[in-house]
Amino acid sequence: MSGIADVARLAGVSKSTASRALSGSGYVSEATRDRVSAAAASLGYVPSTNAQSLSTGRTQSVGVVMPHINRWFFAEVLEGIQQALLERGLDLMLYDAKPGTERRRRIFEDFLARKRFDGLIAVGLEPEQDELDTMLSLGKPVVSVIGDQSRTSVVTLDDSHTTERATEHLIALGHREITFLGAGTHTRWPHVESARVSGYEETMRRAGLERHIAHVPSALTMPAGYAAAVDLLSDSRSRPTAVVAACDEVAIGAIIAARRLGIQVPAALSVVGIDDHEHAEMFALTTLQQVPRQQGATAVELLMRQIDDPGAEPIAVRLKPRLVVRNSTAPIVPASSAAVADGGIVPYA
Amino acid sequence: MSGIADVARLAGVSKSTASRALSGSGYVSEATRDRVSAAAASLGYVPSTNAQSLSTGRTQSVGVVMPHINRWFFAEVLEGIQQALLERGLDLMLYDAKPGTERRRRIFEDFLARKRFDGLIAVGLEPEQDELDTMLSLGKPVVSVIGDQSRTSVVTLDDSHTTERATEHLIALGHREITFLGAGTHTRWPHVESARVSGYEETMRRAGLERHIAHVPSALTMPAGYAAAVDLLSDSRSRPTAVVAACDEVAIGAIIAARRLGIQVPAALSVVGIDDHEHAEMFALTTLQQVPRQQGATAVELLMRQIDDPGAEPIAVRLKPRLVVRNSTAPIVPASSAAVADGGIVPYA
């Protein structure tokens, strides 16, 4: 059986470089990593992680804590993390910590305390204060995906910017009666939700459309968006001409609701989402694109940086989304606009 | 710091029983496990998995290999597995092995060979022969979820039974022109797909409806089901009165397509799915319910059984789905039935 020395010899590098290249820890150039990987592959060399752990004190694993798996955003982030860890030869320990469950309590109280990982990535956790304390008290690097906090490195979307762009897009198309649909149920991601709502409100204010500010709350799912949109759209007198949705799932729920009510999208109603969800194309949805897979990969990069240099200051990476224009938004038809009256919509308190 | 001896003393059991209860390995009654857990919690005892590994030769981890995370079925199975592992104090190592990727090759060639787990659960992998050989050669128990193979224990749906029941339901409502929508693209789960198609075909034959057998292939996603259904339904002369969909995502795609084409569901078209997907209720979908979360939990049980008794014979658990009748299926209206002619549908070859 081949050892690390054989791999190093074949690749023409030192043993420590070969080891660094295979373990993914410490700096190695891309070219060297490829050469060492090729040498390892040709020799059928499999690093013994137990031996690696003994020599480096590392577990060669990264823990990922997330409140959901079965949601587009979370699954995509997870795939991005998995891919980036795999490239570095690291295992992924998954902790599915749904809020308010006994399972979540056990993860924080028992599982994390075992420290079977070199670092933690917390995805969309919005941890309680004591949960964050628990994570930081482990003495391992922690990186957050989504969130608004300075105690860990963080990768996040510039949330208020997303709805600013969405609202500006609709205003540029001539819309005035623009309602914000979704969020505001204050259950899960308060920072995300309030930043998206305020990005919309500020843009409306800046455009002198203060009196048209309206927010219909809904959870961030397709069925919830559907139900909220049926309420919003069923009275033709109070119906807006355009909707900024808090995310694509809510936007798709709104499009399905509009179709059921016989309202043409985009002729009679423009809808813009946030995400570029896997189903956005099917509904021809105009949206602000985020790439959660890339957020996962970036989180791994930030984590490796802190594993290699535990004293490094936390970094915040704030991503700007790209506007993808499809066929759910269109210029307003002035006549139909005049026929739409105000009122009946729950104002955002 | 408290040790296992303190926990055992407080719970009034032997050290080995306390250890079994906390590690999740070996038989311990529910009541004893609860008592030991409570004792451990009150003492703030956290088992050292390294020490456990040294004494038992176990890693206290289970590897989960799946081709997708971002699909309802897979995410639900994963949650079921996670919950069941957590109850046993075991960690979950996730390997996301999308077919045909370099990542998948590396997982099978490098990652699994490290054997950082006590057993493997392969979810919907339909592994290539050499991949299955690799998994079995590790000398660790392997349990499959979905699949048709005798070399590992397996938890699976009785797939032909699902479409038998779906087809019988439609026949009982008076339908004759019943088309099977979805599957047959032969890319992913050939066993699942062919069993579902043949359950439909055999039921049609038994009912003397051979000449109405028709299969429109499509991948098992909502957008693919939508596109296939637009083709199937757009010609009113050749349109069937009912559709058996290969899964709920395809069924929902078909319902959305029908709405776009102005075809009333269920008045002019009945649709039945398989899954009871999280969106089934929103579309009032009649479906054959499977509970993937429970399949995940059962897979963990089968795996623990094999970890405890490596000589045990593989077991196959084949689940029967339950028919959930909602509002996407209705008795056929004889007049409209007579107006629908045969022809134009791609027969299943």
Side-chain angles (χ1 to χ4, degrees):
Chain A
M1 204 173 135
S2 304
I4 186 75
D6 304 301
V7 174
R9 202 174 308 119
L10 186 60
V13 299
S14 71
K15 259 175 69 176
S16 65
T17 300
S19 168
R20 270 207 317 282
L22 293 172
S23 71
S25 60
Y27 177 76
V28 180
S29 76
E30 192 105 353
T32 304
R33 180 166 302 170
D34 289 350
R35 210 158 69 238
V36 172
S37 297
S42 77
L43 292 169
Y45 171 76
V46 175
S48 153
T49 49
N50 287 339
Q52 276 189 6
S53 298
L54 287 176
S55 67
T56 62
R58 293 193 184 168
T59 64
Q60 309 297 332
S61 297
V62 164
V64 177
V65 193
M66 38 172 58
H68 300 280
I69 300 167
N70 190 15
R71 293 289 299 275
W72 170 80
F73 178 84
F74 292 91
E76 290 284 319
V77 168
L78 188 58
E79 289 205 5
I81 292 172
Q82 171 97 78
Q83 174 85 44
L85 292 179
L86 232 63
E87 282 165 8
R88 291 167 172 81
L90 300 174
D91 278 309
L92 189 166
M93 293 255 186
L94 182 66
Y95 300 103
D96 169 22
K98 211 171 285 307
T101 59
E102 166 66 13
R103 178 161 40 149
R104 176 150 172 152
R105 198 192 55 74
R106 282 208 60 191
I107 285 172
F108 279 91
E109 287 184 10
D110 303 343
F111 280 79
L112 298 188
R114 294 179 180 176
K115 300 196 266 194
R116 301 186 69 184
F117 37 76
D118 300 325
L120 273 181
I121 300 176
V123 185
L125 264 196
E126 296 273 354
E128 304 290 333
Q129 197 54 43
D130 59 334
E131 291 176 344
L132 187 60
D133 289 343
T134 300
M135 286 195 284
L136 290 169
S137 73
L138 300 172
K140 304 274 187 180
V142 178
V143 170
S144 307
V145 179
I146 309 186
D148 179 30
Q149 39 140 317
S150 53
R151 295 166 73 196
T152 72
S153 283
V154 62
V155 185
T156 186
L157 195 64
D158 185 338
D159 285 292
S160 61
H161 185 74
T162 56
T163 45
E164 277 166 35
R165 299 239 15 221
T167 311
E168 283 164 3
H169 170 64
L170 293 170
I171 292 172
L173 291 171
H175 292 276
R176 297 290 170 266
E177 290 97 11
I178 304 169
T179 294
F180 189 89
L181 183 67
T185 54
H186 293 299
T187 45
R188 288 290 150 77
W189 299 283
H191 294 113
V192 172
E193 298 196 358
S194 66
R196 292 190 184 176
V197 173
S198 67
Y200 153 78
E201 291 183 337
E202 276 159 34
T203 309
M204 291 293 277
R205 253 182 236 116
R206 262 202 309 277
L209 299 174
E210 225 149 345
R211 68 189 196 92
H212 292 299
I213 291 176
H215 175 206
V216 176
S218 125
L220 302 183
T221 67
M222 187 162 94
Y226 172 81
V230 166
D231 281 352
L232 171 66
L233 302 174
S234 51
D235 185 346
S236 63
R237 291 164 309 171
S238 62
R239 187 193 301 157
T241 66
V243 163
V244 174
C247 69
D248 278 2
E249 290 176 62
V250 167
I252 290 170
I255 290 175
I256 294 174
R259 284 186 191 161
R260 279 224 108 168
L261 296 167
I263 301 166
Q264 297 282 334
V265 174
L269 182 76
S270 284
V271 178
V272 52
I274 298 168
D275 274 345
D276 203 23
H277 185 280
E278 56 180 335
H279 292 153
E281 185 126 36
M282 170 179 170
F283 290 90
L285 184 65
T286 296
T287 190
L288 276 296
Q289 181 182 61
Q290 66 171 328
V291 186
R293 196 176 289 252
Q294 205 183 321
Q295 294 182 40
T298 304
V300 170
E301 270 174 46
L302 295 185
L303 190 69
M304 296 317 294
R305 176 181 155 275
Q306 292 210 253
I307 290 174
D308 290 336
D309 178 7
E313 281 294 302
I315 291 180
V317 175
R318 204 167 290 275
L319 304 163
K320 299 240 182 268
R322 192 169 71 88
L323 178 68
V324 178
V325 178
R326 295 200 182 92
N327 200 27
S328 69
T329 49
I332 195 165
V333 181
S336 79
S337 158
V340 176
D342 277 357
I345 298 164
V346 182
Y348 181 65
Chain B
M1 203 173 137
S2 304
I4 186 76
D6 303 300
V7 175
R9 201 174 310 121
L10 186 61
V13 299
S14 70
K15 259 173 69 176
S16 64
T17 299
S19 168
R20 272 208 315 283
L22 292 173
S23 71
S25 61
Y27 176 76
V28 179
S29 76
E30 191 105 353
T32 303
R33 180 165 305 170
D34 289 350
R35 211 159 67 236
V36 172
S37 298
S42 78
L43 293 169
Y45 171 77
V46 175
S48 153
T49 48
N50 288 338
Q52 277 190 5
S53 300
L54 288 175
S55 67
T56 61
R58 292 192 185 168
T59 64
Q60 308 298 333
S61 296
V62 164
V64 176
V65 193
M66 38 173 58
H68 300 278
I69 300 168
N70 190 14
R71 294 288 300 274
W72 171 79
F73 178 84
F74 292 91
E76 290 284 318
V77 168
L78 188 57
E79 288 206 5
I81 292 173
Q82 170 97 77
Q83 173 85 46
L85 292 180
L86 232 62
E87 283 164 9
R88 291 168 173 80
L90 301 174
D91 278 309
L92 190 166
M93 291 255 187
L94 182 66
Y95 300 103
D96 169 22
K98 211 171 287 305
T101 59
E102 164 65 12
R103 178 161 39 150
R104 176 150 172 153
R105 198 192 55 72
R106 283 208 60 190
I107 285 173
F108 279 91
E109 288 185 10
D110 302 343
F111 281 79
L112 298 187
R114 294 178 180 179
K115 301 197 265 193
R116 301 186 70 183
F117 38 74
D118 301 325
L120 272 182
I121 300 177
V123 185
L125 265 195
E126 295 273 354
E128 304 291 333
Q129 197 55 44
D130 59 334
E131 291 176 344
L132 188 59
D133 289 343
T134 300
M135 285 195 284
L136 290 169
S137 73
L138 300 173
K140 303 275 186 179
V142 179
V143 170
S144 307
V145 178
I146 310 186
D148 180 30
Q149 39 141 317
S150 52
R151 294 165 74 195
T152 73
S153 284
V154 63
V155 185
T156 186
L157 196 64
D158 185 338
D159 285 293
S160 61
H161 185 75
T162 57
T163 44
E164 278 167 35
R165 298 236 20 219
T167 312
E168 283 164 3
H169 171 63
L170 293 170
I171 292 172
L173 291 171
H175 292 276
R176 298 289 171 266
E177 290 98 9
I178 303 168
T179 294
F180 189 90
L181 183 68
T185 53
H186 292 299
T187 45
R188 288 290 152 78
W189 300 283
H191 294 114
V192 171
E193 298 197 358
S194 67
R196 291 189 186 178
V197 174
S198 68
Y200 154 77
E201 291 183 338
E202 276 161 33
T203 308
M204 291 292 277
R205 253 181 233 116
R206 264 202 308 275
L209 300 173
E210 224 149 347
R211 69 189 194 91
H212 293 298
I213 291 175
H215 176 203
V216 176
S218 127
L220 302 182
T221 67
M222 188 163 93
Y226 172 81
V230 166
D231 281 352
L232 171 67
L233 302 174
S234 50
D235 185 346
S236 63
R237 290 162 311 172
S238 62
R239 184 193 303 156
T241 66
V243 163
V244 174
C247 68
D248 278 2
E249 290 176 62
V250 167
I252 291 170
I255 290 176
I256 294 174
R259 284 186 191 161
R260 278 224 111 168
L261 296 167
I263 300 165
Q264 296 284 334
V265 174
L269 181 76
S270 283
V271 178
V272 51
I274 298 168
D275 273 343
D276 203 23
H277 185 281
E278 55 179 337
H279 292 154
E281 184 127 37
M282 171 179 169
F283 290 91
L285 184 65
T286 296
T287 189
L288 276 297
Q289 180 182 62
Q290 65 172 329
V291 186
R293 194 174 290 253
Q294 205 182 321
Q295 294 182 40
T298 305
V300 170
E301 270 175 45
L302 294 185
L303 189 70
M304 295 317 295
R305 176 181 154 275
Q306 291 209 254
I307 290 173
D308 290 336
D309 178 8
E313 281 294 302
I315 291 179
V317 175
R318 204 166 288 278
L319 303 163
K320 299 239 183 269
R322 191 169 73 86
L323 178 67
V324 178
V325 178
R326 294 200 182 92
N327 201 27
S328 69
T329 51
I332 195 165
V333 181
S336 79
S337 159
V340 176
D342 277 357
I345 298 164
V346 182
Y348 182 64

